[in-house]
Amino acid sequence: MAEQQLVLQALQQGGVIAYPTEAVYGLGCDPDNEAAVMALLAIKQRPVEKGLILIAANYSQLLPYVDDKAIPPEKRYQIFSSWPGHISWVLPASKTAPKWLTGQFDSIAVRVSAHPVVQQLCSAYGKPLVSTSANLSGQPAITDKAELEQSLGDKLSAIMPGPLGGATQPSQIRDALSGNIVRS
């Protein structure tokens, strides 16, 4: 798949990509590349202090960013039984998780996606991607590819082809320790 190769190459070179998620188009980049994350935040006009979500093909891809031992045993079933799926969990961040991902927090929001394009992309890249909705901060999320290309196309290194999933809302975000819903 030539398009996927272009997207993977863009990620390796520090580019910002767009890709379909369960409900909306997402913006993504290599979470370990500070310059790429800063470029993504500049496109979105989002402050770094807010933190970002990581999206992955499986939980093991998230382990470098999460303090797995700090997840209470009684919370683990609820978290892991929701994945792969459409719920992002705020988990304790590992000591090595970059501040450009966690922002002002000592936690990090993560999701193991069930979306086949996200699964394929994260598997092929071998690690999670930053995931935030493709839109300017405070604007509605983009669900139409033509609108994506028109509003953000010139700022992106590549767009991963594929359909959106069937969800009507961006992923719910829940705090794993308190159980509170951060975003419904």
Side-chain angles (χ1 to χ4, degrees):
M1 178 177 202
E3 291 162 315
Q4 181 177 312
Q5 283 310 113
L6 289 173
V7 171
L8 293 171
Q9 196 170 24
L11 288 168
Q12 289 158 349
Q13 294 169 353
V16 176
I17 65 159
Y19 56 94
T21 70
E22 292 89 344
V24 300
Y25 281 95
L27 295 181
C29 66
D30 184 328
D32 298 314
N33 184 326
E34 183 177 8
V37 173
M38 292 304 157
L40 180 147
L41 292 170
I43 291 168
K44 229 182 129 62
Q45 299 171 8
R46 177 186 171 103
V48 70
E49 292 78 22
K50 284 180 119 178
L52 291 160
I53 295 174
L54 293 184
I55 195 166
N58 56 60
Y59 181 62
S60 65
Q61 288 187 332
L62 297 167
L63 286 173
Y65 310 92
V66 171
D67 183 355
D68 185 65
K69 291 179 180 62
I71 302 169
E74 67 275 11
K75 303 286 186 183
R76 295 176 83 81
Y77 177 78
Q78 185 181 17
I79 296 164
F80 298 124
S81 66
S82 73
W83 288 339
H86 194 51
I87 297 178
S88 298
W89 289 92
V90 177
L91 300 177
S94 70
K95 302 250 182 288
T96 56
K99 279 293 174 198
W100 61 81
L101 298 177
T102 61
Q104 64 186 341
F105 306 101
D106 56 7
S107 56
I108 189 163
V110 296
R111 177 167 87 251
V112 176
S113 177
H115 192 288
V117 174
V118 173
Q119 283 271 332
Q120 182 182 33
L121 192 54
C122 291
S123 292
Y125 196 51
K127 64 199 272 187
L129 298 175
V130 167
S131 183
T132 185
S133 57
N135 59 304
L136 299 181
S137 211
Q139 298 294 310
I142 296 174
T143 57
D144 179 74
K145 189 171 183 197
E147 183 186 346
L148 172 70
E149 290 168 342
Q150 183 183 343
S151 64
L152 297 175
D154 61 337
K155 297 176 177 83
L156 302 173
S157 300
I159 298 174
M160 182 72 180
L164 296 177
T168 56
Q169 296 286 317
S171 70
Q172 182 182 85
I173 302 174
R174 299 186 75 141
D175 185 297
L177 301 184
S178 71
N180 293 340
I181 295 174
V182 179
R183 178 180 79 190
S184 54

